[in-house]
Amino acid sequence: AAAAAAAAAAATIAWHDRPEYCGWLTKKGEHLSNWRRRWFVLKDDKLGWFKDVSQANRPGTRPRGVIDLSKVISACTATLGDAGRAHGVELIGSVEAEKAGCKFLCADSERECDGWAAKLAEVCNDSVGSRGGGDSAAGASAHPAAAPSSRLASQLDQGYQSSVANAVSSAASRDRHAARPFDNGAINVSVTDYAVAGAGGQNTSLASDAYLQRGGASIPPEGNGAWDTYYTNEGVAYYVNSQTGVTQWEKPNP
């Protein structure tokens, strides 16, 4: 009955039109336990899969199968031992997903796996909150905050928050230093504007640059010499700029 209801709902969804999330995932067959790579599309709290991208983009084409994510308790990354393949995402608490061979869905890379886990967890948590309503015995929130989908996501978030806090602290310190008067109190200088010759002989006004008004210096967008290196539990390096708060996988230029 649940599968029939999901199939009926799938017939009314325009899967080709602005999906919320899509990509390649590998699932087990419904009858045989061999792995099959399928194109998955997330839309309207439903997760459908097609044989390939061309089928998914063809108007009116029905998916080969559909999982109703409102029936899934949660989603998270899975270990190699649990999933049987690397980069696995587990759909928790759904008999429908298990029967369809979708209890474990495996992505092509760790980054894609984290992306799918975060998005599916977000949809599942929203669905659970909607079902729970606003008046529960425990007084729980209708939309609980989703936990990080993996240790890697948690580490990246901590590194980013730390770098932003350092940047804010440094800016506040510069502001206090710029506002401090001379020690002897005998000299009081007030600058209302200042113009310097720029490219093409044009003048650049200090008053037009809010950052320079605070006594700071121009910082290149990517930062120079301000990159900190962090490592995931798997030993993969990523880089955080303590001045701009930018986090990236690629090693920055010296």
Side-chain angles (χ1 to χ4, degrees):
T12 65
I13 297 176
W15 296 93
H16 68 286
D17 186 21
R18 295 188 295 274
E20 298 172 30
Y21 211 82
C22 58
W24 288 106
L25 291 171
T26 302
K27 64 179 289 292
K28 285 191 174 182
E30 291 85 345
H31 306 292
L32 301 177
S33 60
N34 57 319
W35 291 93
R36 298 178 180 179
R37 194 166 183 257
R38 296 289 183 253
W39 181 260
F40 278 75
V41 178
L42 172 63
K43 189 171 183 181
D44 296 344
D45 292 346
K46 303 293 189 298
L47 183 65
W49 59 92
F50 300 79
K51 183 177 181 180
D52 52 39
V53 182
S54 61
Q55 285 190 357
N57 291 335
R58 189 178 303 135
T61 302
R62 292 189 179 186
R64 292 186 165 224
V66 178
I67 298 296
D68 185 355
L69 294 179
S70 67
K71 309 297 183 183
V72 179
I73 295 177
S74 184
C76 65
T77 56
T79 65
L80 175 62
D82 289 337
R85 292 173 67 101
H87 316 311
V89 178
E90 181 179 3
L91 300 182
I92 301 172
S94 172
V95 177
E96 178 187 0
E98 192 163 359
K99 288 182 177 180
C102 295
K103 178 177 176 60
F104 294 103
L105 302 172
C106 299
D108 293 341
S109 68
E110 183 179 2
R111 183 178 299 182
E112 293 177 58
C113 172
D114 288 339
W116 271 109
K119 186 61 180 179
L120 292 174
E122 175 188 338
V123 175
C124 293
N125 288 337
D126 286 345
S127 298
V128 170
S130 299
R131 292 197 301 269
D135 298 325
S136 63
S141 172
H143 294 279
S149 59
S150 68
R151 291 191 299 269
L152 173 62
S154 177
Q155 289 171 340
L156 288 174
D157 181 66
Q158 291 174 2
Y160 173 76
Q161 296 299 335
S162 175
S163 63
V164 170
N166 291 337
V168 171
S169 176
S170 298
S173 176
R174 288 196 301 269
D175 290 344
R176 290 193 300 269
H177 180 74
R180 187 170 57 199
F182 290 98
D183 293 337
N184 56 17
I187 301 176
N188 189 7
V189 179
S190 175
V191 179
T192 58
D193 199 0
Y194 182 74
V196 295
Q202 298 181 350
N203 290 336
T204 301
S205 174
L206 174 66
S208 64
D209 191 327
Y211 183 74
L212 291 178
Q213 287 177 1
R214 299 196 301 266
S218 296
I219 300 176
E222 294 298 329
N224 272 335
W227 291 97
D228 296 323
T229 304
Y230 297 86
Y231 294 87
T232 67
N233 288 346
E234 292 77 13
V236 180
Y238 62 96
Y239 306 89
V240 178
N241 192 303
S242 61
Q243 294 179 348
T244 64
V246 172
T247 302
Q248 66 183 44
W249 293 104
E250 295 78 11
K251 184 176 182 180
N253 294 327

